[in-house]
Amino acid sequence: MKLALYILCLICISIDAQESIEISHLQTSTIKAEKVVGIDNFGTIFYTKENTIYKKNRDTTISYNNLQLGKLTTANSFNPLKINLFYQEFNTVIILDNRLAEIFKIDFNLINNYKNVSHISTGYDNTIWIFNQDTQLLEVFDYKTRTTKAQTLKPVDNPILDLKSNYNYAYLLTEDELLVYNYFGSLVKKIKNDGYTEVVENNEGLYLKKDNRLFYLSEDAKEAILVKTDNILIPQFFVTNETLYIYNFDSLQEFQIKIN
């Protein structure tokens, strides 16, 4: 009996310990940008301002813009050797190398199988994930061969809030659900959206934003746990390894993430 009570107490303590994740402040730096896209392991910052993407390290700052394509919708530096820029008004994606030189241009208006794209994200090798508004399908698109390598089986009827990915999975956040697909286009996980509006992937764990709060969903978990940010305003955020970055259009705050 005593042994059973002891085991029950250990289980309760373990559950309580996982109810939230703590963070500790590391440093704050000043930067003026519309959006901070990401920071790599060497401290290089990628950010956008006035439809231009910048890459800034300790010694130099380089930039790229394409005025002919108008407003820059999204930028993704998950793979710093193949940075992708999406210009939704022109239905076009630009791929840049690590010097921000243009290496590929994909105009979806001109390819044989026209695609009306609303969201994109980085894929493996020479691919990107794209959401086709006409078919309501998520596709793995090879921008070298201009062909679709894989696509999801069922249309997504709910409005899309966010799309993030790594080399293995795509995370599609809709108004009703968070859908996780592998690179074959197969649905591997589906979780109810409990008010989340943004998702960030890090080492196959997910950080989800709800109002002004952050939650963490580990790879094998079914429920997200709170990240204790102490009511810090979170206009923008992203995560690199064990560091949480919060940007408020004036300063960039860095926090160490403590996951037990």
Side-chain angles (χ1 to χ4, degrees):
M1 184 66 179
K2 289 183 177 180
L3 179 60
L5 289 173
Y6 177 72
I7 294 173
L8 180 60
C9 288
L10 287 178
I11 293 172
C12 292
I13 291 171
S14 177
I15 292 172
D16 289 342
Q18 290 298 313
E19 284 183 350
S20 64
I21 293 174
E22 294 185 353
I23 61 173
S24 59
H25 184 263
L26 295 174
Q27 65 177 357
T28 300
S29 55
T30 301
I31 183 172
K32 296 292 185 181
E34 291 172 4
K35 183 175 180 60
V36 177
V37 177
I39 298 180
D40 66 17
N41 294 326
F42 304 101
T44 302
I45 303 176
F46 299 85
Y47 64 94
T48 60
K49 186 177 181 181
E50 296 179 351
N51 298 315
T52 300
I53 184 168
Y54 295 86
K55 177 183 178 182
K56 180 181 180 181
N57 56 34
R58 292 182 179 180
D59 302 317
T60 60
T61 300
I62 57 177
S63 64
Y64 171 90
N65 63 43
N66 194 319
L67 300 178
Q68 293 180 338
L69 295 177
K71 182 180 178 181
L72 175 59
T73 307
T74 60
N76 189 314
S77 64
F78 175 79
N79 182 349
L81 300 177
K82 296 177 181 178
I83 300 162
N84 57 66
L85 309 180
F86 179 43
Y87 299 84
Q88 187 174 4
E89 291 179 359
F90 282 79
N91 206 24
T92 297
V93 173
I94 300 291
I95 308 295
L96 307 177
D97 64 14
N98 62 340
R99 297 165 297 174
L100 299 192
E102 183 178 319
I103 52 177
F104 287 99
K105 178 180 179 181
I106 310 101
D107 186 342
F108 290 104
N109 302 300
L110 300 179
I111 64 174
N112 291 333
N113 186 12
Y114 168 80
K115 300 177 188 299
N116 183 15
V117 179
S118 65
H119 295 76
I120 77 157
S121 191
T122 301
Y124 64 92
D125 200 13
N126 296 311
T127 67
I128 53 176
W129 289 89
I130 65 172
F131 187 77
N132 189 331
Q133 291 189 98
D134 291 343
T135 62
Q136 296 292 290
L137 296 175
L138 191 62
E139 303 179 22
V140 180
F141 184 79
D142 189 318
Y143 52 79
K144 255 189 164 181
T145 62
R146 302 295 201 267
T147 58
T148 295
K149 310 295 285 187
Q151 67 180 17
T152 53
L153 297 177
K154 295 181 179 180
V156 178
D157 298 325
N158 298 313
I160 307 302
L161 301 180
D162 201 0
L163 170 63
K164 296 291 169 50
S165 63
N166 55 30
Y167 297 127
N168 298 314
Y169 299 99
Y171 307 90
L172 190 68
L173 183 66
T174 75
E175 285 189 353
D176 291 342
E177 298 170 315
L178 171 66
L179 305 170
V180 183
Y181 297 94
N182 62 23
Y183 56 78
F184 297 111
S186 299
L187 181 65
V188 295
K189 183 185 291 188
K190 180 168 63 174
I191 298 172
K192 181 181 177 182
N193 183 356
D194 188 25
Y196 304 119
T197 56
E198 187 176 351
V199 59
V200 166
E201 185 277 338
N202 182 63
N203 296 327
E204 298 189 358
L206 301 179
Y207 291 84
L208 297 146
K209 183 178 178 182
K210 178 181 179 181
D211 299 323
N212 195 56
R213 294 178 295 165
L214 296 182
F215 295 82
Y216 175 70
L217 181 69
S218 63
E219 182 180 3
D220 299 323
K222 295 182 179 179
E223 294 185 3
I225 57 177
L226 178 69
V227 180
K228 297 175 69 174
T229 55
D230 296 328
N231 296 319
I232 299 169
L233 290 177
I234 311 174
Q236 297 178 12
F237 80 101
F238 59 95
V239 179
T240 301
N241 295 326
E242 297 178 354
T243 305
L244 166 67
Y245 296 90
I246 296 177
Y247 181 58
N248 63 7
F249 305 107
D250 184 45
S251 62
L252 181 67
Q253 300 182 73
E254 299 179 33
F255 299 89
Q256 180 75 33
I257 302 171
K258 301 177 181 179
I259 300 179
N260 296 326

